[in-house]
Each structure stands twice: as structure tokens, then as C-alpha cells.
Amino acid sequence: MKIEGQAALVTGGASGLGEATARELARLGAKVAVLDRNAELAAKVAAEISGVACVCDITDTESVNAALDKAAAAHGPARILMNVAGIGSAKRIVGKDGNPAPLEDFVRVVNINLVGGYNMARLFAARCAKLDALDNGEKGVMLFTASVAAFDGQVGQQAYSASKGGLVGMTLPMARDLAQHAIRVCTVAPGLFATPLLMELPEAVQQSLAASIPFPPRLGKPSEFAELACHIVTNGHLNGEVIRLDGALRMAPR
Ligand SMILES: NC(=O)c1ccc[n+]([C@@H]2O[C@H](COP(=O)([O-])OP(=O)(O)OC[C@H]3O[C@@H](n4cnc5c(N)ncnc54)[C@H](O)[C@@H]3O)[C@@H](O)[C@H]2O)c1
């Protein structure tokens, strides 16, 4: 799908990988809606790319529908959804104090990263399926953001890995489901990227993380994620696939 002129939605668009994706889409001529629960940062990014900020919580159907309505009113119906919003977590299943990990923590992470992603996907897909196909036969395309932790999760990453593994697992069946509606679905599994999350770690920790990446031995740039995300939109034969973007990194147990 040609990006220029299309209306696009980016969840998590207020920060990090989502922000870079929103900026790249805008640079390529898309009309971008920044969907994020951080109102202040969403407004800032949207203003800088002449887009629209739509504050929402991806786990809350009412707020997502309101955001989709606001985005459609500003830009027309969206054919591109970049699901980038997500949270991290680290909790050992049996803590150092011998107590079991709090179940609420596992539920919270899976609810945002996996259930929230599915919620966005279903609400977007139902709207997109009603649109006419473009000249190339396509109606829409969406992307999920998993993580290499879906495959090689580290100590303490059960909730995060389960949530990202869930996105990986539903990529193909969702692509199969949505084939009849001419909507493609792909997932990117990033390695270690230089986003606010990692940039807040001490310099020495950042360097040791970077050194663990075979090549290039540096953290990924958010712009590199954004380039791949936009390539998935433009390459009409990419569908039902999960792509690692990690410099050949395979995470160690800890
Ligand atoms: N940075 C990395 O190295 C890395 C590696 C692998 C995967 N990822 C994944 O990439 C995505 C983006 O990560 P990032 O590093 O850019 O993080 P980030 O914290 O910089 O950005 C995440 C954004 O998502 C938003 N968000 C969180 N929960 C939300 C909700 N319920 N509703 C709406 N918005 C919500 C936040 O407000 C924030 O703006 C995440 O899904 C993360 O798991 C990141």
C-alpha cells in the first residue's frame, strides 16, 4: 500500500518506537493519529507532525472507539494500524523472599500488551473491512510489536514473554481470518532499542547490552524500527509473518 495520503493510527505513538513510526509515516505523507494514554506527549508529537492526538487506553473499548472516531473525523477512515503501545515488567515467579509473584502483575502486563493489542486490532479491522479495496486489491494493513522476549525471554520475564508470545501466536491466524477482508497482518519482534526505557539505564548497563548484540554492536535506532514498519505497509506480499529486528541477538538467561 502506498503510504502517501493514507490515514494511519499509531498506538504508543507518543514515545519511543511508536513515536519514531508516527514521524516516519508523516514524513512519507500519511495523515497520522497518535493514540496513546499519555495526553501531554501525544499532543506534542501530533503537533510536530501535523497529526491528531487521540488519548486512549488500548484495553478500554469505549476509549478506543472514541479515539477511532476522532481520528476518522480528522483524517478519514484509517487503512494502516501500527500497534506499538506496550509495557515491560520483571518479576520472578518465586521472589527472593520466597513468596509467589503477585498475580495482578502478570494479568496487568498480558492485559495491556496482548489483550490491548487484540482489542485495537478487532476494532480497527471491523471498520477497515467496510472500506472499498484500493486499486491493488488491499483494504488495510496492521502491525503488532512483539519482542525477542517472545522467543528467548530472560529470568523474570514470564509475563512480558507470554504477552509478546501471544502476539506472535495470533499473527498467522489473524492474517488468515482477515484475508477475506483484504487486510494484512505482520509482527515485528525488536531486540534492544534506544528508547526512553533503555536510555534511562546507567551508561555502563547500556554499553554492556549493546555489546551483547553480534552486529551491529549497538542498540537499535527507533528509526530502524520505523523503516521496517513502513516497509511492511508498502510491501503487499508480506503477510502473516513475524520478523525479528535484532542484529542477530539471542538473549542470555539473565
Ligand atoms: N525499546 C525496546 O528495546 C523494545 C524491545 C522490544 C520490544 N519493545 C516493544 O516496543 C513497544 C514500544 O516500546 P518503547 O520502548 O517505545 O516504549 P515507550 O515506553 O517509550 O513507549 C510506549 C508507549 O505506549 C504507551 N502506552 C502504554 N500502555 C498504553 C495503553 N494501555 N494505552 C495506550 N497507550 C499505552 C505509553 O504511554 C508510551 O507512550 C512496546 O510494546 C515494547 O514492549 C521495545
Side-chain angles (χ1 to χ4, degrees):
M1 183 185 299
K2 210 170 142 225
I3 288 176
E4 191 177 5
Q6 292 298 346
L9 312 164
V10 185
T11 76
S15 173
L17 303 184
E19 175 183 350
T21 305
R23 290 186 188 281
E24 180 67 359
L25 282 165
R27 191 183 70 79
L28 295 170
K31 299 172 278 185
V32 182
V34 177
L35 276 64
D36 205 290
R37 65 181 179 187
N38 186 322
E40 195 183 327
L41 286 182
K44 179 175 175 285
V45 174
E48 287 172 12
I49 60 174
S50 303
V52 59
C54 303
V55 179
C56 70
D57 179 338
I58 58 169
T59 66
D60 181 306
T61 296
E62 210 176 303
S63 97
V64 171
N65 269 325
L68 295 181
D69 287 345
K70 183 178 178 188
H75 295 154
R79 292 184 186 272
I80 301 169
L81 168 62
M82 305 291 203
N83 279 301
V84 193
I87 58 166
S89 103
K91 281 260 177 330
R92 289 180 188 237
I93 185 164
V94 178
K96 288 196 171 135
D97 55 7
N99 290 325
L103 188 58
E104 309 76 61
D105 189 69
F106 188 92
V107 171
R108 185 178 63 94
V109 174
V110 171
N111 192 41
I112 293 179
N113 290 356
L114 178 58
V115 181
Y118 181 79
N119 195 34
M120 279 303 310
R122 73 187 184 99
L123 297 171
F124 164 78
R127 291 176 184 231
C128 194
K130 295 191 179 78
L131 304 178
D132 292 333
L134 299 168
D135 287 349
N136 68 355
E138 255 182 347
K139 290 188 180 176
V141 53
M142 72 170 106
L143 163 143
F144 291 106
T145 308
S147 162
V148 294
F151 310 102
D152 24 86
Q154 297 186 294
V155 162
Q157 283 197 311
Q158 287 99 59
Y160 188 67
S161 294
S163 69
K164 298 302 188 179
L167 296 175
V168 167
M170 75 184 184
T171 301
L172 181 63
M174 197 179 289
R176 288 174 163 170
D177 250 33
L178 292 176
Q180 63 178 312
H181 298 296
I183 299 170
R184 291 184 293 113
V185 184
C186 281
T187 292
V188 176
L192 296 168
F193 276 71
T195 65
L197 203 81
L198 286 189
M199 300 317 281
E200 278 162 19
L201 295 172
E203 182 65 29
V205 178
Q206 284 183 43
Q207 277 176 11
S208 101
L209 285 173
S212 69
I213 302 173
F215 189 82
R218 60 164 173 79
L219 298 178
K221 300 174 191 166
S223 61
E224 292 170 323
F225 174 89
E227 276 171 41
L228 177 58
C230 289
H231 179 73
I232 288 169
V233 175
T234 54
N235 190 323
H237 212 59
L238 265 174
N239 195 11
E241 183 57 329
V242 178
I243 305 168
R244 288 183 74 127
L245 185 65
D246 63 7
L249 172 69
R250 298 294 178 270
M251 300 291 279
R254 52 169 63 81

